[in-house]
Amino acid sequence: MDKAADCYTTQLIEGDGTFNADGLENFIKQVKLEECGRSYAIVAVMGPQSSGKSTLLNHLFHTNFREMDASKGRNQTTQGIWIARCTRIEPCTIVMDIEGTDGQERGEDDTAFEKQSALFGIAISDIVIINMWCNDIGHEKAANKPLLKTVFQVMLRLFSPRKTTLMFVIRDTTTKTSPEIIKSKLRKEIRKIWDSVPKPEAHKYTHMSEFFNVEVELLSNYEYQEKQFKEEVAHLRLKFIQSTAPGGLNDDRRGVIPASGFSDNAQNIWKQIKENKDLDLPSQMIMVSTIRCEKILEDIYSSFVVNYKDWRHDLGADVKSQSKKLRSLLENCLSNYNKEVVYFDAEVVSAKRKQLEEKVMEHVLPAYKQLFKHIRSESLDYFTRALKDALNEGQGFAEAARNCTKKSVGRFNELCEDATIKQANWDPTKIRDKFYHDLDQHITKVRAARLDELTTLYEVTLFVHASYSEIQEVFATSIRSRN
């Protein structure tokens, strides 16, 4: 399989410190990182220049980082920071190849970039591999000592809620010294360096185990023991499979930035590092959550507006059906938001959801009120027809009015209940009162019309059957009653 096509090696930060934002966005799309939620891992490798970091990564993760050509001398091969996807490792694992330390190419600028890149690597990584030579252990002027001091200083600058795993990979263990002695010696040296690093008052007596987990792995010489080296690396590779599962290398997932926020997080962290600002990772999590939730909010809202226009176009059709469609639109809108933001900071998610609800309801409210007006109008029509039919069937006026009112009010309340949207927080009492007033007015109007009809009919009947004197008396009585 073509490694280049599979791991999408990309330069993340150039040698001059320029962040390759476009390259990162393209990389994220290629590896489909945004689909991973919190199920992904970031691995960074640090170490002295020409210590074989890229070679180790390529064998360990099946990547294709540029490697040093020993025949051309030991010089710098990795400039800046490069990233690649580890092939055939789940969950999705991204590895960063960080420019080697103590290189002669940078000269005086080496220390500044070394600290910046170390801070960046540790800030966004779950696992940090420290690549070092076996014969450097115990040497006062070993190349790894300044790096370790830098790493520890960085750890103390980060207000991270979770531990980072530091994996010390010891290269070229050709010595006859037993692995246990080498590991013990290294751990003592690590503690010594930790104790020597100046600490803020809050962490003056803090044990290093509160900041990170330490793993030590030994590898044979690649050039002289290639077969053994590859077997050891293959065994080490197994540790990175399901590394986020309980008991894995980085099973502490507190404060992990969701994959969809990785790009924003990386860019903002590098910007703060370049500006020499202290990093507060919980605050960083909130910032990234805010940026991503706002973007998701706008996307969800835009989609809702398009669907809402279709619903508004059909407004006036069957009320029950329209009410159901509107509720479905709102529920889908909020449900889609919840799915997209599930991994972000809970307080930010809640605040942005409230904003989305307010924005959506502000957009919907005019049509929502119009829907209730339509319910009022349709319900009055229903009552009018029902009362007319009941009277035509011979029911008494009082009984017909009472029965039709009861049915119509029940139907009106049912339609209002179907149309009610809890997010709207809108009280339909006024529209209900107007509907009751409509019923009273119609009943009064029909009653008056019926009385007029009965009066006319009564008068005509009298006129036909009564004597002249009786008719005069009826008319006189009628005139007196009207006056």
Side-chain angles (χ1 to χ4, degrees), residues 39 157 178 187 210 220 274 402 414 421-422 474:
S39 183
R157 285 183 62 186
S178 71
R187 289 180 183 276
E210 293 189 28
S220 300
K274 294 293 287 182
R402 183 170 58 252
E414 183 181 338
I421 300 169
K422 62 181 180 179
V474 167

Side-chain angles (χ1 to χ4, degrees), residues 173-355:
T173 55
T174 55
T175 175
K176 293 180 180 180
T177 307
S178 71
E180 288 72 21
I181 292 177
I182 294 175
K183 290 180 181 181
S184 175
K185 196 173 182 180
L186 175 61
R187 289 180 183 276
K188 286 180 181 178
E189 187 167 316
I190 292 170
R191 283 195 294 271
K192 185 177 179 182
I193 296 173
W194 170 261
D195 292 339
S196 69
V197 172
K199 301 176 184 64
E201 193 63 31
H203 296 296
K204 193 172 182 180
Y205 302 105
T206 302
H207 195 273
M208 64 180 183
S209 61
E210 293 189 28
F211 284 86
F212 47 79
N213 299 313
V214 174
E215 295 275 335
V216 181
E217 300 291 337
L218 278 58
L219 296 179
S220 300
N221 184 282
Y222 173 60
E223 293 182 11
Y224 301 109
Q225 298 169 293
E226 184 176 349
K227 182 180 178 181
Q228 189 173 344
F229 172 86
K230 289 182 177 180
E231 289 175 353
E232 291 165 348
V233 168
H235 180 73
L236 177 58
R237 176 182 169 86
L238 298 176
K239 290 192 174 185
F240 290 88
I241 297 174
Q242 299 302 329
S243 62
T244 60
L249 281 177
N250 59 316
D251 59 352
D252 187 351
R253 308 306 289 163
R254 291 173 297 169
V256 173
I257 297 289
S260 58
F262 177 76
S263 177
D264 292 322
N265 184 48
Q267 291 183 61
N268 280 291
I269 283 180
W270 184 247
K271 182 175 181 290
Q272 290 186 55
I273 290 172
K274 294 293 287 182
E275 293 173 354
N276 200 30
K277 294 180 178 178
D278 284 338
L279 290 179
D280 184 340
L281 293 188
S283 297
Q284 187 75 11
M285 174 66 168
I286 291 172
M287 181 190 68
V288 172
S289 295
T290 301
I291 293 171
R292 292 299 303 166
C293 287
E294 285 178 351
K295 177 67 168 60
I296 292 168
L297 184 155
E298 291 303 323
D299 290 345
I300 295 291
Y301 176 73
S302 298
S303 178
F304 171 81
V305 169
V306 172
N307 295 327
Y308 170 78
K309 283 181 181 178
D310 295 336
W311 175 85
R312 184 72 186 267
H313 180 74
D314 295 332
L315 188 60
D318 177 64
V319 172
K320 217 164 189 177
S321 174
Q322 287 302 101
S323 300
K324 186 176 180 180
K325 285 181 181 178
L326 179 58
R327 265 204 324 278
S328 178
L329 281 178
L330 291 168
E331 288 170 1
N332 287 340
C333 172
L334 297 175
S335 175
N336 290 337
Y337 171 82
N338 290 340
K339 290 176 184 176
E340 292 287 335
V341 301
V342 66
Y343 296 114
F344 293 106
D345 181 80
E347 289 187 8
V348 174
V349 166
S350 178
K352 294 302 174 185
R353 179 190 162 98
K354 187 177 180 182
Q355 286 183 21

Side-chain angles (χ1 to χ4, degrees), residues 37-75:
R38 278 200 177 102
S39 183
Y40 72 104
I42 306 296
V43 181
V45 64
M46 302 177 186
Q49 179 182 301
S50 305
S51 61
K53 297 188 306 300
S54 300
T55 301
L56 172 63
L57 295 181
N58 290 341
H59 282 83
L60 184 57
F61 298 117
H62 301 174
T63 50
N64 64 341
F65 293 115
R66 182 185 171 194
E67 298 180 17
M68 181 192 71
D69 186 349
S71 64
K72 296 181 180 179
R74 292 189 175 275
N75 50 25

